[in-house]
Amino acid sequence: MKRISSRDNPHYRELKRLHASARERRRSGRLLLDGLHLITAYQQRCGSPAELVVSDSGAGRREIIDHLASCPPVMPVTQLPDALWAELALVDTPSGIMAVIAWPQPATAIDLAADTVLLDGVQDPGNVGSILRSAAAAGFHQILLSADCAQAWSPKTLRAGMGAHFQLAIHEECDLPAFLAAYRGLSIATAASAPAGLYATQLAPAVAWVFGSEGQGLRAAVLAATQLQVHIPMPGACESLNVAAAAAICLFETVRRRQGAVAGGR
């Protein structure tokens, strides 16, 4: 285990750049994961990280000791004083461990016949991460984000995703209208003014759900490219839902329908 005690250490300064700069993360093709939960989720799906970094206090925690013991002997591990660690930490409560990983890339090209979630201009990292988590839980593995969405691999989005990222094929900066024009399933947008209600809508074997920005909704070109628009019935007094909540409702309504169809066919 290598120990760094100076802020002027070149490797520590490199870690600081990864922590602070989205441009550096893109340039280097590397990310920081903060916390054992995210690191374990990454390892289960993607293999070993490039490096582990632990704080002095973290190095004494049983769960981190056990994790380090389970890693390959060649795994680079760097230990930092708590004061230096605090300058890198991505969460409010110090986790004591983080990992440097290669930026995950989709293993396959975009599939025009797969269940898909499309996000158009969703700018809050927490909302993007929550939608990714719901998508993974509902079995939707292909995700397309427009160029003006929050960065899928930013620290805040990763935190909100709770490890779901590593189960998904995430495509960023996509031309959503072009995808929708070529899509071979049923594309559905949520819109408060749509006459059709979600629960009365027929769903196809492959579905692309399209969700828009928190304030403006879907761009006109994206909305026009969808085959169907639906609203979520809300008998209460609220006039709208958070986009992450709306996405979860639609995705799990798809799950409910499909499970009901399977049960009905027995």
Side-chain angles (χ1 to χ4, degrees), residues 188 191 194-203 209 228-233 253 257:
I188 311 176
L198 169 63
Y199 304 123
T201 300
Q202 294 295 316
L203 300 181
W209 283 104
L228 180 65
Q229 295 85 48
V230 301
H231 70 270
I232 298 172
E253 175 62 11
R257 300 276 193 92

Side-chain angles (χ1 to χ4, degrees), residues 81-104:
D82 288 350
L84 294 190
W85 170 274
E87 296 178 20
L88 294 179
L90 302 171
V91 296
D92 294 334
T93 302
S95 67
I97 185 169
M98 64 178 63
V100 180
I101 66 166
W103 193 304

Side-chain angles (χ1 to χ4, degrees), residues 50-243:
E51 177 188 1
L52 292 174
V53 184
V54 299
S55 66
D56 283 348
S57 57
R61 296 179 192 169
R62 172 48 56 188
E63 66 272 18
I64 293 177
I65 293 171
D66 291 344
H67 186 80
L68 293 176
S70 71
C71 291
V74 294
M75 171 69 67
V77 181
T78 301
Q79 186 167 336
L80 302 175
D82 288 350
L84 294 190
W85 170 274
E87 296 178 20
L88 294 179
L90 302 171
V91 296
D92 294 334
T93 302
S95 67
I97 185 169
M98 64 178 63
V100 180
I101 66 166
W103 193 304
Q105 299 298 319
T108 58
I110 293 174
D111 185 343
L112 295 173
D115 284 335
T116 305
V117 173
L118 288 79
L119 302 185
D120 182 37
V122 179
Q123 296 178 342
D124 181 82
N127 282 337
V128 172
S130 294
I131 294 171
L132 297 183
R133 188 177 180 186
S134 293
F140 281 69
H141 299 297
Q142 180 167 267
I143 313 294
L144 274 61
L145 282 71
S146 66
D148 53 348
C149 278
Q151 189 185 88
W153 297 96
S154 74
K156 289 182 179 179
T157 311
L158 279 163
R159 262 200 321 273
M162 292 293 289
H165 286 69
F166 310 120
Q167 303 176 41
L168 303 170
I170 300 172
H171 302 267
E172 296 189 273
E173 300 187 5
C174 294
D175 183 338
L176 302 189
F179 171 84
L180 292 167
Y183 186 60
R184 297 198 291 271
L186 175 65
S187 57
I188 311 176
T190 54
S193 60
L198 169 63
Y199 304 123
T201 300
Q202 294 295 316
L203 300 181
V207 178
W209 283 104
V210 191
F211 304 103
S213 72
E214 293 85 351
Q216 303 301 316
L218 292 170
R219 288 174 293 155
V222 175
L223 185 62
T226 60
Q227 297 166 283
L228 180 65
Q229 295 85 48
V230 301
H231 70 270
I232 298 172
M234 292 184 289
C238 291
E239 63 182 35
S240 65
L241 287 172
N242 172 279
V243 64

